[in-house]
Amino acid sequence: MRKQPNDIDLQIMWNRLVAVVEEQAQTLLRTAFSSIVREAGDLSAGIFDARGRMLAQAVTGTPGHVNSMAESVKHFIAHFGLPNMKPGDAYITNDPWLGTGHLNDFVITTPCFYRGRLIGLFCCTSHLMDIGGIGFGPDGTDVFMEGLYIPFLKLLDAGRVNETLMAMIRANTRQPIDTVGDVYSLAACNDVGCTRLVEMMEEFELETLDLLAEHICAKSRQAVLAEIAGLPKGCWSNSMTTDGFDGPITLRATTTIKPRRYPRRLCRYRCAGAPGHQCPARLHYGLHRVRAWLHRRQ
Amino acid sequence: MPPDAGVGSALGFLAAPAAYELVRSRHMLLSEFDADVADAIVEGLVQDAGAHCGAAAGERPIAVRRSAFMRYAGQGHEIMVALPDRRLLAADVVTFRQAFEREYGRLFARHIPDAEIEIMSWMVLASTESEPPARLAAAPPRAPPPPAGERSIFDARLGRRQVVAVFDRRALLPGTRLEGPALIVEEGTSTYISPSFEVAVDAGEALILSARSKLD
């Protein structure tokens, strides 16, 4: 920018980031092989700063994916290290605890460079139709039964596809064409996001996203704290009984809001202990935020 | 901005090219490409679309554009790929793949190497060419009229309000030239000329806005 950006400039650039990640999500939707992605939008897409803070998320997508993806980028940064990241790299995992909840969800993170410098990371996730095993369900007694587990790996190394990994994926799914196609689709949508971000950097004459990132995080934090402060103080409980598998399962949740004390977690769950009925903490975390949002809307 | 843009839009509709578009569904895996079947479909569409278009085209020449909707087998969305303007041949299995991958890469950054491609449907557009209207003669330069008033406007670049001269559009005759900031008002709308732009009124009384060289 020729001058220090004011609040209006920052708001325009913030909206532009939302448009960039929406195009990222639409690319994923348009190129997906997985029917649950292209028909139901079971995906998420977003842009992150070098500290792993999510700056914008696509409107298209599901809250469970968005919030778990938001945490996963920090794990990608911790695992690969920013100084080791190169243009053309892309990293992948389907770790249920560090990614987005079950093995069918592939998460791909792509560092984005401008004038030789890392300016941010694009991340996306989508639900693939088959990753071997019996899938996520009550019949599985452990995660190894559920399918192929992909630890943090390089999918692209400076533009070169990891053919060994692709061969492993192809050999471990009942739908090799679709599964490999979806991996390409995930990588492609991050590339589209990066291209659009670079155009934005040129148009607004930005060198880094640092100032915009601070603005977005400060304003978002302020807005969330104001929303929470406006909630009625007190303690609420509810429970819901579902059919379950071997027998009915009762889910209970309690929310406590105390004056001037912002709870780190808004809800506490009590879940059944049988294998395959569990939900990774990562997804709980995503759903906590959904609950908070729903609560506010009510 | 032409004068009375709404009326101009209606007139433009009358001047639009005569066109007819036909799409026919016929699934074909590229690995099982049958040039004779493909050519018969496309040629049939060319004949039909050309006949419909000809009914409205009168003496104007008709141009034909052929395309196909293609995707990787297993995907849910197709992209439109231009086809060659000639009889389709067995060797087109290669040109179709190249054209698809080029368009796919342009839209989605990255194509999938060696994946199976399928054609879902075929399209032909028959259309007359629309000629751009003749250029207007340059209007001789004219001094701007006195402003009709002034108004306080927020300038996002400066980050503060500033007082801007207001001009009545009817008083701006061909050849008038103004530098932003300025506000041009008429009954239907207002046109804000920001400080980054200048405006000239052409012989057809359209406002021509041009970006000034970079400001600092």
Side-chain angles (χ1 to χ4, degrees):
Chain A
M1 300 283 295
R2 279 183 294 270
K3 63 176 180 59
Q4 189 73 5
N6 59 32
D7 274 4
I8 292 175
D9 298 324
L10 290 166
Q11 185 64 44
I12 289 170
M13 290 189 277
W14 188 352
N15 286 351
R16 178 66 169 268
L17 274 191
V18 174
V20 166
V21 294
E22 184 57 24
E23 184 171 345
Q24 184 194 2
Q26 289 298 327
T27 301
L28 186 51
L29 199 84
R30 285 269 164 183
T31 57
F33 287 70
S34 169
S35 52
I36 195 173
V37 173
R38 61 184 203 227
E39 307 293 344
D42 195 7
L43 63 93
S44 66
I47 179 175
F48 298 74
D49 72 1
R51 289 165 60 185
R53 296 182 299 179
M54 185 164 70
L55 303 182
Q57 68 191 55
V59 178
T60 301
T62 65
H65 269 167
V66 171
N67 293 313
S68 47
M69 172 187 76
E71 288 303 301
S72 77
V73 173
K74 297 188 184 79
H75 298 300
F76 277 103
I77 292 172
H79 185 87
F80 291 99
L82 293 174
N84 303 319
M85 294 183 177
K86 300 184 293 284
D89 279 2
Y91 317 109
I92 186 171
T93 190
N94 69 343
D95 185 308
W97 296 276
L98 304 177
T100 68
H102 62 158
L103 296 176
N104 288 71
D105 287 347
F106 279 28
V107 191
I108 292 181
T109 298
T110 305
C112 181
F113 290 81
Y114 179 56
R115 294 182 177 160
R117 188 165 164 183
L118 191 149
I119 48 170
L121 300 107
F122 282 90
C123 186
C124 61
T125 176
S126 75
H127 181 144
L128 279 66
M129 294 314 290
D130 185 81
I131 186 59
I134 60 171
F136 181 54
D139 288 327
T141 55
D142 65 20
V143 73
F144 298 101
M145 287 179 77
E146 292 179 5
L148 177 70
Y149 167 77
I150 302 170
F152 283 99
L153 287 174
K154 273 192 183 179
L155 172 66
L156 297 168
D157 188 353
R160 273 176 71 100
V161 176
N162 182 342
E163 295 293 353
T164 308
L165 172 62
M166 282 299 199
M168 285 295 291
I169 293 173
R170 202 176 284 122
N172 280 280
T173 163
R174 298 171 188 88
Q175 298 181 319
I177 292 170
D178 299 39
T179 307
V180 167
D182 277 324
V183 172
Y184 273 102
S185 161
L186 287 156
C189 88
N190 284 358
D191 291 347
V192 168
C194 189
T195 304
R196 294 290 177 256
L197 178 61
V198 166
E199 287 170 9
M200 172 183 162
M201 304 296 281
E202 279 165 0
E203 184 179 327
F204 290 92
E205 297 177 23
L206 300 174
E207 290 296 323
T208 72
L209 286 177
D210 295 352
L211 196 66
L212 183 57
E214 288 311 318
H215 174 80
I216 290 172
C217 292
K219 287 277 178 194
S220 303
R221 183 179 168 78
Q222 209 180 330
V224 171
L225 290 181
E227 285 288 344
I228 295 174
L231 294 174
K233 310 293 176 280
C235 183
W236 291 269
S237 293
N238 203 357
S239 68
M240 183 179 82
T241 302
T242 65
D243 290 349
F245 193 66
D246 298 321
I249 295 173
T250 300
L251 298 169
R252 293 181 215 284
T254 303
T255 300
T256 305
I257 302 169
K258 296 174 181 170
R260 276 197 296 281
R261 280 187 58 192
Y262 303 117
R264 198 170 69 81
R265 285 183 161 195
L266 286 176
C267 304
R268 183 162 296 149
Y269 289 86
R270 186 165 301 153
C271 293
H277 293 149
Q278 304 281 12
C279 175
R282 180 67 35 237
L283 201 61
H284 272 195
Y285 186 70
L287 294 176
H288 282 309
R289 300 195 188 183
V290 182
R291 299 285 297 213
W293 181 80
L294 285 174
H295 189 102
R296 194 180 78 216
R297 304 293 286 192
Q298 282 155 11
Chain B
M1 261 151 285
D4 302 316
V7 179
S9 161
L11 284 172
F13 180 71
L14 293 175
Y20 202 89
E21 191 177 84
L22 276 176
V23 184
R24 188 157 297 161
S25 300
R26 169 62 160 83
H27 179 256
M28 193 182 283
L29 287 173
L30 200 53
S31 61
E32 296 168 7
F33 181 68
D34 185 328
D36 291 335
V37 172
D39 195 65
I41 295 168
V42 175
E43 271 315 305
L45 291 174
V46 168
Q47 295 303 324
D48 293 352
H52 286 295
C53 181
E59 298 299 306
R60 290 175 286 174
I62 295 171
V64 170
R65 263 173 288 168
R66 304 141 199 255
S67 37
F69 289 92
M70 298 157 74
R71 66 187 186 191
Y72 285 117
Q75 285 183 322
H77 294 93
E78 301 89 58
I79 61 169
M80 194 172 90
V81 178
L83 299 185
D85 187 19
R86 57 162 168 74
R87 184 179 163 73
L88 298 176
L89 311 165
D92 280 328
V93 69
V94 179
T95 50
F96 274 36
R97 173 173 287 277
Q98 287 169 343
F100 174 80
E101 288 181 348
R102 197 166 43 240
E103 183 62 8
Y104 194 92
R106 189 185 70 78
L107 287 169
F108 306 129
R110 178 185 293 278
H111 72 271
I112 307 175
D114 306 322
E116 176 75 279
I117 294 168
E118 59 187 358
I119 304 160
M120 306 302 291
S121 48
W122 311 77
M123 186 173 91
V124 165
L125 170 68
S127 165
T128 60
E129 300 290 342
S130 58
E131 297 268 323
R135 290 194 74 85
L136 294 168
R142 184 193 296 269
E150 56 183 32
R151 201 173 292 176
S152 168
I153 285 183
F154 183 80
D155 185 304
R157 190 179 290 266
L158 296 175
R160 59 176 162 77
R161 300 187 80 87
Q162 70 174 145
V163 173
V164 169
V166 176
F167 293 89
D168 181 351
R169 178 153 180 181
R170 287 168 305 180
L172 296 182
L173 300 175
T176 309
R177 193 173 282 272
L178 290 171
E179 289 193 345
L183 192 67
I184 300 172
V185 298
E186 58 191 299
E187 280 188 7
T189 190
S190 301
T191 306
Y192 177 54
I193 316 299
S194 83
S196 322
F197 279 81
E198 60 181 15
V199 61
V201 184
D202 77 0
E205 293 180 27
L207 303 178
I208 311 289
L209 272 68
S210 327
R212 292 159 69 181
S213 51
K214 287 225 165 188
L215 299 167
D216 278 304

